[in-house]
Amino acid sequence: MISTLLSRPHGPDGDPTPRLVYGADYNPEQWPREVWKDDVRLMREAGVNLVSVGIFSWARLQPTRYTWDFAWLDEVMDLLHAGGIAVDLATATASPPPWLTTAHPEILPVTASGETVWPGARQHWRPTSPVFRTHALALVRKLAERYADHPALVAWHVSNELGCHNIYDHSDDAARAFRDWLRARHTTLDGLNHAWGTAFWSQRYSDWDQILPPRLAASHPNPTQQLDFKRFSSDALKDHLRAERDVLREITPDVPVTTNFMVMGGTKGMNYPDWAAEIDFVSNDHYAHPGPQDRDELSFSANLTSGIAGGRPWFLMEHSTSAVNWQPVNVPKRHGELARDSLLHVAHGADAVSFFQWRQSAAGAEKYHSAMVPHAGPDSDVFRAVTGLGQTLRALAPVAGTEREPARVGILFDWDSWWACEQDSHPTSRLDYRQEALDWYSALLALGVRADVVTTRNDLERYDLLIAPVLHMIPAPLATRLTRYVDDGGHLVTTYFSGVVDENDHIWLGGHPGALRELLGIRIEEFGPLLDGESVPLDGAGPGTLWTDRITVTDPETEVLARYETGAYAGRPAVTRRTQGRGSAAYISTRLGVSGLVGLLPKLLATAGVESELPGPVRGSVEQAVRRDAGSRYLFLVNRTDGPVSLPGVTGEILTGRTDTQGVLVLAPREVAVLRQPNT
Ligand code: GLA
Ligand code: GLA
């Protein structure tokens, strides 16, 4: 789908060969029109073939309530088309113009403590505002009608990063919509009272109108109210996405619709696995947060995006050529990182590489954010790297449209568990769900073992080893599914604080982890979270931090792989594994961190018969990812280190990369090589 966008019937150059898409957010409204021609010329020089246009141009397109100005966009669309560059046209609804918020301040979001989120930045709109919806859809309709037959148009880009700034709105509109949503979920007030456990603290509701979003409260707000509000808030934005999409599909049924997700560190509010079915192809934005695991996190996010996309190719809609502007300190990318970061996304299934943004702004809040054409102009290292990447992506055209080859290890990442396990009034406030999952991923990278990051919507049953870190919320059907997985010979690994609650955040009683007690063959009477700085040595792994459990083994098939050496539970089991038929279920009761997991994982991998596919000496230095089609496998080999790495014995046709004089594949620091092998 993505690789053939450029050859859509209206396509810009009529070339039907699948290709990787290369481009950027293009914001011509920030520049005088003399610059536009130069933009198109430089885009061609860089190998750009598709840009996203109009994302923040509502105020320009509709200067007042009753006036429209499309002339400038007509000209931009024509110029791009003449230059052979396709357009992913934004619906421009992301940032409502001042005339609208002045006339209708009731579209502005409200925080939990009742403050209005005023205009002045962007995305200052309530997802549930009927007034906003009416104005937004009018704009979408105008745009769709005007550009339906424009030859440059190949895709629609709904809004922008829905929920980036407006995921939680506590306004009266939100309260009304929340009640409707709750009625649909719980049917009756009794159902809601039960689900929310309102017998506690005299919270029983006798009328739907009494129910509010979790606004500023005197103490911990009801946990299930909080959880349902998270679910509702994600659904409210999904509803907006559907509303815009429906207008687009009505007017241009043949033009695919997407919206850019934010699967990356620091983003949690949008349940993307649930949104993915609403669009024609998945797009993602990714920005690395500097730190020791930053590129592992990039790989993890790209991998998870592929899982969300159901394994189909996806569109990297935004990332940065160099520094961003929104961190406390914004460090530029080092030599090689621009290409390495881009190709890591391609390795994990991206068929499009796009940046925010084309030309670095001279004014506004993002003027220090890097771009493809920096302030220095095209005579710059950044633009040379951009052009180099354009050439590499052309060389990788055969990869376009191929699928990822599934790994044998899956890491289960679950939004409900994520939302629930990090709520307040828990045994510890230090738990970081995404970090725990990332640590497992990093440990597998360090061992040179490929893993897929997946959600419960993916085919979990295909994995020989399924790691479900902190799978806190396990509704009964999921418990049954996991038990069947093990019955059928699968090897399940789970951790502390898993299987503790059901879908309403009610404890599974009788000893933890209630949903998995039988499967794991253990029973936990009490959690033993650790204080900051505390750690507990284990006799077969570790040390552990953050968490311990008071575990009793309850089944003869449960073996103890490691015990606590000191502390309140000294001598008791810390890591267990129960064998069931050909399968097994292991439990890790503490946080081992990357190095602890690197120590423990070989045992777990061996049980499942999984080994690294990389030559011994480069395990940990190189990340491998594989894409394939009927005839070929495409091996992506990513140098994770800052030094050169040699890979003896790797064969195949080199699409990008180089060999030394002995014919050995060598990766420069941070370099990515791609080899084509026959798919036998
Ligand atoms: C997000 C937005 C862009 C831009 C970038 C900057 O991804 O979608 O408009 O603000 O962040 O990193
Ligand atoms: C106070 C309150 C109780 C309970 C406990 C919990 O004592 O009176 O209702 O909340 O704190 O520690």
Side-chain angles (χ1 to χ4, degrees):
M1 159 72 80
I2 293 164
S3 59
T4 54
L5 279 182
L6 302 171
S7 47
R8 278 177 38 74
H10 296 308
D13 57 12
D15 178 356
T17 327
R19 277 161 293 168
L20 294 174
V21 167
Y22 189 37
D25 284 9
Y26 179 40
N27 300 305
E29 66 272 27
Q30 295 179 18
W31 298 95
R33 48 206 290 265
E34 304 82 78
V35 177
W36 301 348
K37 275 211 179 82
D38 207 37
D39 283 332
V40 174
R41 181 183 61 80
L42 289 173
M43 285 175 192
R44 291 179 66 90
E45 196 178 316
V48 163
N49 50 33
L50 184 150
V51 290
S52 296
V53 180
I55 293 173
F56 296 106
S57 56
W58 191 344
R60 180 82 181 253
L61 291 167
Q62 191 180 9
T64 70
R65 170 77 178 85
Y66 299 104
T67 52
W68 299 87
D69 177 8
F70 291 106
W72 67 275
L73 185 54
D74 294 351
E75 193 177 334
V76 168
M77 296 282 286
D78 292 349
L79 267 175
L80 288 165
H81 180 63
I85 292 158
V87 173
D88 166 47
L89 188 58
T91 57
T93 56
S95 194
W99 62 259
L100 178 54
T101 50
T102 304
H104 294 288
E106 73 273 22
I107 73 169
L108 299 172
V110 177
T111 66
S113 50
E115 294 156 309
T116 298
V117 177
W118 293 100
R122 62 176 173 185
Q123 221 173 58
H124 39 275
W125 52 274
R126 300 177 187 177
T128 56
S129 162
V131 176
F132 177 76
R133 182 73 60 89
T134 302
H135 284 272
L137 296 189
L139 171 61
V140 175
R141 184 167 291 279
K142 277 269 186 197
L143 274 164
E145 283 168 353
R146 185 156 192 108
Y147 297 106
D149 297 318
H150 196 286
L153 174 71
V154 297
W156 287 112
H157 180 298
V158 168
S159 193
N160 188 62
E161 290 189 342
L162 289 162
C164 178
H165 312 291
N166 66 347
I167 177 70
Y168 297 122
D169 162 45
H170 297 75
S171 67
D172 291 342
D173 280 333
R176 273 187 289 275
F178 187 35
R179 288 174 202 133
D180 291 342
W181 185 94
L182 290 166
R183 266 201 200 93
R185 182 176 175 90
H186 299 292
T187 318
T188 62
L189 261 189
D190 279 351
L192 177 131
N193 278 310
H194 167 75
W196 285 19
T198 56
F200 186 80
W201 280 356
S202 184
Q203 293 173 351
R204 184 165 192 86
Y205 296 98
S206 56
D207 193 305
W208 289 98
D209 286 342
Q210 297 157 359
I211 300 170
L212 295 169
R215 292 178 177 162
L216 180 66
S219 176
H220 306 295
N222 181 302
T224 316
Q225 176 193 19
Q226 291 191 58
L227 184 64
D228 272 353
F229 188 67
K230 291 187 175 94
R231 291 167 168 155
F232 155 77
S233 297
S234 177
D235 280 359
L237 280 163
K238 183 176 76 173
D239 194 61
H240 183 85
L241 165 62
R242 292 160 65 128
E244 289 202 17
R245 178 207 63 194
D246 288 349
V247 173
L248 297 168
R249 285 203 178 148
E250 176 201 324
I251 300 166
T252 56
D254 298 331
V255 180
V257 177
T258 193
T259 190
N260 45 345
F261 293 173
M262 309 168 67
V263 179
M264 65 174 116
T267 307
K268 175 174 168 188
M270 289 72 76
N271 186 345
Y272 292 129
D274 180 52
W275 290 21
E278 306 295 344
I279 46 183
D280 294 310
F281 58 86
V282 164
S283 299
N284 195 49
D285 296 353
H286 186 274
Y287 293 93
H289 294 61
Q293 283 168 277
D294 51 12
R295 265 60 203 186
D296 294 359
E297 193 284 320
L298 189 161
S299 172
F300 177 92
S301 290
N303 199 321
L304 173 57
T305 303
S306 173
I308 290 168
R312 284 176 290 280
W314 52 278
F315 197 121
L316 176 65
M317 191 61 84
E318 290 182 27
H319 68 152
S320 68
T321 59
S322 191
V324 299
N325 66 306
W326 41 261
Q327 284 169 350
V329 178
N330 297 294
V331 180
K333 288 194 180 181
R334 293 174 299 171
H335 183 73
E337 287 185 320
L338 180 151
R340 188 267 320 270
D341 291 357
S342 297
L343 296 178
L344 249 177
H345 288 289
V346 177
H348 288 289
D351 264 3
V353 170
S354 192
F355 291 100
F356 173 85
Q357 61 178 326
W358 166 250
R359 190 181 278 277
Q360 188 169 17
S361 302
E366 296 186 315
K367 59 182 173 294
Y368 294 112
H369 193 293
S370 59
M372 292 174 94
V373 182
H375 290 151
D379 181 12
S380 58
D381 281 351
V382 166
F383 191 71
R384 281 183 281 275
V386 159
T387 306
L389 177 60
Q391 281 157 7
T392 303
L393 293 176
R394 261 200 296 271
L396 293 181
V399 171
T402 62
E403 60 179 44
R404 283 173 77 228
E405 182 172 284
R408 295 183 59 201
V409 179
I411 296 179
L412 178 58
F413 193 85
D414 181 59
W415 255 256
D416 261 348
S417 280
W418 188 10
W419 287 346
C421 79
E422 292 182 0
Q423 292 208 132
D424 58 47
S425 57
H426 277 188
T428 178
S429 61
R430 305 293 196 252
L431 197 153
D432 183 338
Y433 178 81
R434 206 174 194 272
Q435 184 62 49
E436 181 67 36
L438 177 59
D439 283 354
W440 283 89
Y441 192 73
S442 281
L444 287 162
L445 284 174
L447 293 166
V449 175
R450 279 200 293 138
D452 293 345
V453 187
V454 290
T455 75
T456 54
R457 287 167 195 256
N458 294 107
D459 174 13
L460 304 179
E461 289 68 22
R462 76 177 322 143
Y463 295 102
D464 296 303
L465 183 70
L466 180 64
I467 301 169
V470 198
L471 191 63
H472 179 58
M473 177 164 280
I474 303 194
L478 181 56
T480 306
R481 185 175 174 194
L482 294 174
T483 302
R484 192 169 309 136
Y485 166 77
V486 173
D487 283 343
D488 291 346
H491 297 278
L492 176 72
V493 175
T494 190
T495 73
Y496 60 92
F497 214 31
S498 294
V500 173
V501 296
D502 70 7
E503 64 275 24
N504 289 320
D505 202 25
H506 294 199
I507 301 285
W508 288 108
L509 298 174
H512 308 300
L516 300 175
R517 211 164 45 220
E518 307 295 319
L519 185 62
L520 294 168
I522 58 169
R523 182 166 177 269
I524 295 165
E525 285 178 43
E526 251 190 334
F527 305 123
L530 299 178
L531 295 169
D532 293 347
E534 242 188 317
S535 68
V536 179
L538 311 187
D539 66 358
T545 60
L546 185 82
W547 197 280
T548 61
D549 283 315
R550 183 186 158 84
I551 297 176
T552 304
V553 167
T554 56
D555 189 289
E557 298 301 323
T558 307
E559 53 178 326
V560 176
L561 301 184
R563 291 177 186 275
Y564 299 113
E565 286 192 320
T566 62
Y569 305 144
R572 298 191 80 100
V575 179
T576 64
R577 182 172 55 196
R578 178 169 164 270
T579 311
Q580 175 162 304
R582 288 177 301 112
S584 70
Y587 183 77
I588 291 94
S589 66
T590 185
R591 174 157 189 231
L592 293 176
V594 179
S595 60
L597 293 174
V598 166
L600 178 69
L601 261 166
K603 210 178 276 182
L604 304 173
L605 290 163
T607 310
V610 177
E611 285 171 10
S612 171
E613 299 155 297
L614 287 166
V618 305
R619 290 179 193 163
S621 308
V622 171
E623 174 178 352
Q624 176 180 306
V626 187
R627 294 182 64 168
R628 68 176 182 197
D629 55 25
S632 305
R633 291 176 90 222
Y634 301 89
L635 216 59
F636 285 74
L637 297 159
V638 184
N639 185 349
R640 302 176 69 222
T641 75
D642 293 332
V645 176
S646 303
L647 282 119
V650 183
T651 57
E653 175 201 350
I654 297 177
L655 298 183
T656 178
R658 74 205 101 207
T659 52
D660 65 11
T661 46
Q662 270 84 51
V664 171
L665 185 73
V666 277
L667 299 175
R670 306 182 277 275
E671 198 189 359
V672 181
V674 183
L675 278 73
R676 173 157 51 187
Q677 302 175 330
N679 187 5
T680 46

